[in-house]
Amino acid sequence: MKTNHRIALIPGDGIGAEVLPPAQQVLDVLGRRHGFSLSYTSYDWSCERYLREGAMMPADGIDQLRDKDAILLGAVGYPGVPDHVSLWGLLIPIRRSFRQYVNLRPVRVFEGIDSPVRGARPGEVDLVVVRENVEGEYSEIGGRLNQGTAEELAVQEAVFTRAGVTRVADYAFSFAARRRGRLTSATKSNGIIHTMPFWDELIAERAAEHPGVTWGQEHIDALAAKFVLDPARFDVVVASNLFGDILSDLAAAVAGSIGIAPAANLNPEGDFPSMFEPVHGSAPDIAGQGIANPLGAIWSAAMMLDHLGHSAAARDITDAIASVLAKTDTRTRDLGGTATTAEFTDKLIELL
């Protein structure tokens, strides 16, 4: 196991620059405890850079990241810069260039956090959404015609490949086998006539190679309802790019706050660096006030440690997250408290 890891930091915009330092503090504490170190290189790639220089990152940005062991991202988004510009100028090129084809989003209802969903109880809701991350509905194929006229149209093509669906399905089945052995596949094959039946066929095909996992499929509309009505029934959910994106944000809201939710963009083979990021976005309405919830970034850092081979250190972080929520009344404002980002981080580190 490597004892030193080269980490790329991309704070991004808004509260991204406020939540990465707490994650670094926690990582450094765990490094000293478990005998590894992390060296950081920070990059100013952001919407503010786009407004200043016309690009989210430099032309050789991908090459600058290639020798890193992992990437820790804060958040991206800024008033005046369209979201598709920020996404396609930074996140999607990184995900696709480094074949980060698994987007992993764990969801837990922690003791001490009140879910807005009555039936979502602490200790019972513990699920993971495995989202296909580089193809599906988020393709570049398509275009617009007759812009500005009454005949204007837009065409967007979804792309599902056998290789792409198979590899994310195998990852999801293997992941479920290490958990509670249950997998749910999100589909819409009753309405989307080509890609979703193809998805269903390949999921069933891969299921035959994982006989120890119980599995089933749900149409996305019914699945969204069941996430709210009975979230505890789910273990691992595998979904296409669009469906997984929507389901994981819904699940984070069920857990009580999107400010807690982490995400990992994984290249499971380790041929390229993987990227870790909180789900919450740049939150420009609270940026600069020192009140952002750092838990999403800290949990993402735990996922990064687990990916780098430090599973015990990762568990220390998630145990500390559970403790600070269950055993103290320290809360940031999104969780109903008054703690600043720094105060919340200090309490978490105290428990560590």
Side-chain angles (χ1 to χ4, degrees):
M1 183 186 299
K2 290 183 63 175
T3 56
N4 181 68
H5 303 282
R6 294 162 297 178
I7 308 300
L9 298 177
I10 306 177
D13 302 295
I15 65 171
E18 301 173 41
V19 297
L20 281 200
Q24 285 178 258
Q25 288 179 257
V26 171
L27 286 169
D28 291 339
V29 168
L30 269 299
R32 290 191 294 271
R33 175 183 296 172
H34 289 272
F36 61 86
S37 62
L38 303 107
S39 56
Y40 304 102
T41 305
S42 190
Y43 300 87
D44 70 342
W45 305 344
S46 61
C47 291
E48 291 192 62
R49 185 189 191 280
Y50 173 83
L51 291 173
R52 189 173 65 245
E53 303 187 31
M56 294 289 294
M57 63 178 173
D60 66 344
I62 296 298
D63 288 334
Q64 290 188 42
L65 299 175
R66 197 175 298 276
D67 68 341
K68 304 300 185 292
D69 295 306
I71 304 160
L72 193 57
L73 175 79
V76 175
Y78 195 78
V81 178
D83 288 341
H84 69 274
V85 170
S86 59
L87 187 67
W88 285 88
L90 185 63
L91 297 186
I92 288 183
I94 292 173
R95 290 170 178 172
R96 295 187 175 180
S97 296
F98 293 145
R99 299 180 188 172
Q100 296 169 353
Y101 60 84
V102 170
N103 185 276
L104 197 65
R105 295 194 180 183
V107 174
R108 288 173 58 183
V109 175
F110 287 97
E111 184 180 349
I113 297 295
D114 292 328
S115 169
V117 175
R118 183 175 54 199
R121 289 177 287 273
E124 296 182 8
V125 177
D126 181 359
L127 64 92
V128 179
V129 176
V130 178
R131 166 191 171 195
E132 198 291 316
N133 206 35
V134 297
E135 54 178 51
E137 300 88 349
Y138 295 174
S139 84
E140 299 173 75
I141 300 174
R144 295 174 66 174
L145 185 65
N146 301 325
Q147 293 187 49
T149 73
E151 292 79 30
E152 185 172 4
L153 63 88
V155 175
Q156 180 77 45
E157 299 287 351
V159 175
F160 288 71
T161 67
R162 172 172 284 275
V165 178
T166 295
R167 66 191 179 188
V168 77
D170 281 337
Y171 183 91
F173 276 107
S174 296
F175 196 76
R178 298 194 300 273
R179 284 174 50 91
R180 301 194 302 275
R182 303 199 310 270
L183 181 136
T184 304
S185 172
T187 186
K188 191 57 181 169
S189 50
N190 61 344
I192 301 176
I193 193 171
H194 297 303
T195 56
M196 283 291 101
F198 180 63
W199 170 277
D200 294 348
E201 291 164 15
L202 292 179
I203 295 294
E205 183 179 293
R206 302 318 302 163
E209 301 298 318
H210 301 271
V213 176
T214 301
W215 76 284
Q217 64 185 40
E218 296 274 3
H219 290 132
I220 185 65
D221 42 357
L223 183 54
K226 291 174 183 178
F227 261 37
V228 174
L229 294 172
D230 189 13
R233 69 183 290 183
F234 297 104
D235 181 15
V236 174
V237 178
V238 64
S240 68
N241 211 330
L242 175 61
F243 292 172
D245 198 0
I246 295 169
L247 284 173
S248 53
D249 278 17
L250 172 61
V254 168
S257 173
I258 203 167
I260 295 176
N265 303 275
L266 300 178
N267 173 249
E269 295 79 13
D271 297 328
F272 303 97
S274 294
M275 180 167 61
F276 304 83
E277 57 178 319
V279 174
H280 53 58
S282 60
D285 56 323
I286 63 168
Q289 299 178 41
I291 60 173
N293 187 343
L295 274 185
I298 291 170
W299 195 352
S300 297
M303 296 180 75
M304 182 181 77
L305 289 184
D306 188 61
H307 178 72
L308 293 173
H310 303 288
S311 56
R315 283 194 302 273
D316 283 352
I317 296 178
T318 52
D319 287 348
I321 290 172
S323 292
V324 77
L325 295 174
K327 299 177 181 179
T328 81
D329 58 1
T330 304
R331 301 283 188 278
T332 47
R333 293 188 187 182
D334 61 307
L335 298 177
T338 60
T340 65
T341 307
E343 290 168 345
F344 192 92
T345 304
D346 288 346
K347 178 57 69 173
L348 183 73
I349 291 174
E350 177 186 322
L351 291 174
L352 274 173

